[in-house]
Amino acid sequence: MAKIQKELMIASIFSKSKPVNIIIIAAFLILISTIYNWNLFFTDISRSGQMVLNIIVLLFSLLIFDFINSKNNITQRNGFAVLCFGLVLGLFPEIIKHSELLWSNVFLLFALRRLVSLHSRKHVKKKLFDAGFWIGLAILINPTLILILPILVIAVGYYSGNDVKTAIIPIVGLLCVLVIKICYNILVFDTYFLERDLQVQFNLDLSNYWTQDSLTRIVPFLLILFWSLIKVIASYNERNTDEKPTYMILIWYTISALLIIGFSVIQDGGQMIFLLVPASFVVALNMETIDREWITNTIIGVLIIAIIVNLVL
């Protein structure tokens, strides 16, 4: 009986990396997205079609996320990262309504894929260029993402080898996006820059996050995230040389994502998508170091309760 109960615990289910983990989380994402947008699917056909497309993009993001993790062994052979991805999205289902933010996050995932794969020391220049290019595309969609550039600087610091030519390659990738944008503006609008292209707006009004329904999910989420982030930072010096750059990138990715959310012009919860990837990795890295399974199950339980409360409210 005890063995059966142990197997039914969520931490036990995801303690090993299995293909079924992806299927479970994909089904969970579809369920949460459907529940949150239930009325929309029956009242606005045009927008419901967009929601279906957004769900597909989100599932695509999940696959990229899992590929990055498994290919680069960011976490150990378990499903905690994928589980955290699903739980974070469950906490902030507003994410599904923002097509532009979803695509921005996909581009950041492409950039992260190139950056964390630099540990192989193969095709360093090509990967740095690709990372700069993808981040440039993300910034093009959402200018506030300029705050994500520290992860590019960190990668250059670790992998350029004091070679100036290698160090400027990510900048070339960013400039390529700028050139493409200028060419598009000339062809379509007969001008180099539109007025909105020159505006990078920031907003520090966080009042929308201080409502009762927001606090019931943001407070437990941030407490778990900050605790996990502190533990990851504390374990940095214990990591081997190849792991340290990836850890530093994830640490600064998390910090940058918090700044992006804090400075975003629109504060409606959708911006939490930029914490989706780094927070999932950071919390998963913490969970796999916990020796007592009941603590891991408590973390998961708290997040699930917050998800349920949010849906009920």
Side-chain angles (χ1 to χ4, degrees):
M1 185 67 178
K3 183 178 180 180
I4 294 175
Q5 290 177 338
K6 180 179 175 65
E7 290 299 321
L8 290 176
M9 299 300 284
I10 295 178
S12 296
I13 296 173
F14 287 87
S15 62
K16 295 181 180 179
S17 180
K18 304 174 184 177
V20 70
N21 293 341
I22 286 286
I23 297 174
I24 292 172
I25 297 303
F28 175 74
L29 295 185
I30 294 172
L31 177 63
I32 286 292
S33 300
T34 302
I35 292 174
Y36 187 76
N37 297 285
W38 183 259
N39 293 331
L40 183 63
F41 283 116
F42 295 96
T43 58
D44 192 331
I45 300 299
S46 62
R47 289 190 63 195
S48 63
Q50 183 61 56
M51 288 301 103
V52 171
L53 179 59
N54 287 356
I55 292 173
I56 293 173
V57 174
L58 190 59
L59 294 176
F60 178 58
S61 301
L62 173 63
L63 292 176
I64 301 172
F65 174 83
D66 183 61
F67 175 82
I68 293 171
N69 186 36
S70 59
K71 191 75 173 178
N72 299 281
N73 297 316
I74 296 177
T75 62
Q76 298 172 8
R77 295 186 178 278
N78 57 56
F80 288 146
V82 170
L83 172 62
C84 291
F85 187 99
L87 292 176
V88 174
L89 184 83
L91 282 172
F92 306 102
E94 303 96 325
I95 289 171
I96 197 65
K97 292 185 176 181
H98 299 268
S99 301
E100 291 186 354
L101 299 185
L102 283 168
W103 281 110
S104 296
N105 192 59
V106 168
F107 294 149
L108 291 181
L109 274 167
F110 285 153
L112 181 64
R113 171 179 171 267
R114 302 305 274 171
L115 291 177
V116 298
S117 67
L118 284 166
H119 66 83
S120 67
R121 306 282 176 172
K122 296 179 180 178
H123 311 296
V124 171
K125 293 180 180 179
K126 184 177 185 300
K127 290 176 180 178
L128 286 174
F129 174 86
D130 290 347
F133 181 81
W134 289 118
I135 289 176
L137 285 179
I139 294 173
L140 191 62
I141 297 175
N142 186 346
T144 312
L145 291 180
I146 195 171
L147 295 172
I148 206 73
L149 288 177
I151 67 172
L152 203 55
V153 175
I154 290 168
V156 169
Y158 273 106
Y159 296 107
S160 65
N162 296 321
D163 181 3
V164 176
K165 292 182 180 179
T166 302
I168 66 173
I169 284 176
I171 300 175
V172 175
L174 289 167
L175 291 176
C176 282
V177 176
L178 179 62
V179 171
I180 292 172
K181 174 61 176 174
I182 292 173
C183 292
Y184 175 80
N185 285 344
I186 293 173
L187 291 172
V188 178
F189 303 107
D190 194 27
T191 183
Y192 291 105
F193 294 101
L194 300 176
E195 183 177 350
R196 65 173 180 265
D197 295 334
L198 303 175
Q199 296 177 345
V200 180
Q201 298 178 331
F202 296 103
N203 175 28
L204 278 172
D205 181 11
L206 300 176
S207 58
N208 287 344
Y209 293 117
W210 292 101
T211 59
Q212 181 179 351
D213 61 330
S214 293
L215 289 176
T216 55
R217 49 191 173 140
I218 289 177
V219 170
F221 169 67
L222 288 182
L223 287 175
I224 292 171
L225 175 59
F226 287 142
W227 171 45
S228 300
L229 185 61
I230 290 171
K231 286 193 66 177
V232 169
I233 293 172
S235 67
Y236 173 77
N237 288 330
E238 300 173 5
R239 301 294 168 177
N240 61 48
T241 304
D242 289 337
E243 291 178 327
K244 284 184 176 181
T246 297
Y247 267 64
M248 188 57 68
I249 287 171
L250 291 176
I251 290 168
W252 277 102
Y253 193 166
T254 306
I255 295 171
S256 297
L258 288 167
L259 291 174
I260 290 166
I261 294 167
F263 283 100
S264 291
V265 175
I266 301 174
Q267 304 279 0
D268 60 1
Q271 296 69 33
M272 299 299 289
I273 190 173
F274 299 119
L275 263 178
L276 183 60
V277 172
S280 298
F281 277 130
V282 167
V283 175
L285 286 168
N286 178 26
M287 288 170 61
E288 68 182 17
T289 63
I290 298 173
D291 295 329
R292 296 178 178 141
E293 193 171 287
W294 69 267
I295 298 178
T296 305
N297 280 309
T298 300
I299 294 173
I300 297 169
V302 168
L303 294 177
I304 290 176
I305 291 171
I307 291 171
I308 295 172
V309 171
N310 179 51
L311 290 175
V312 172
L313 292 178

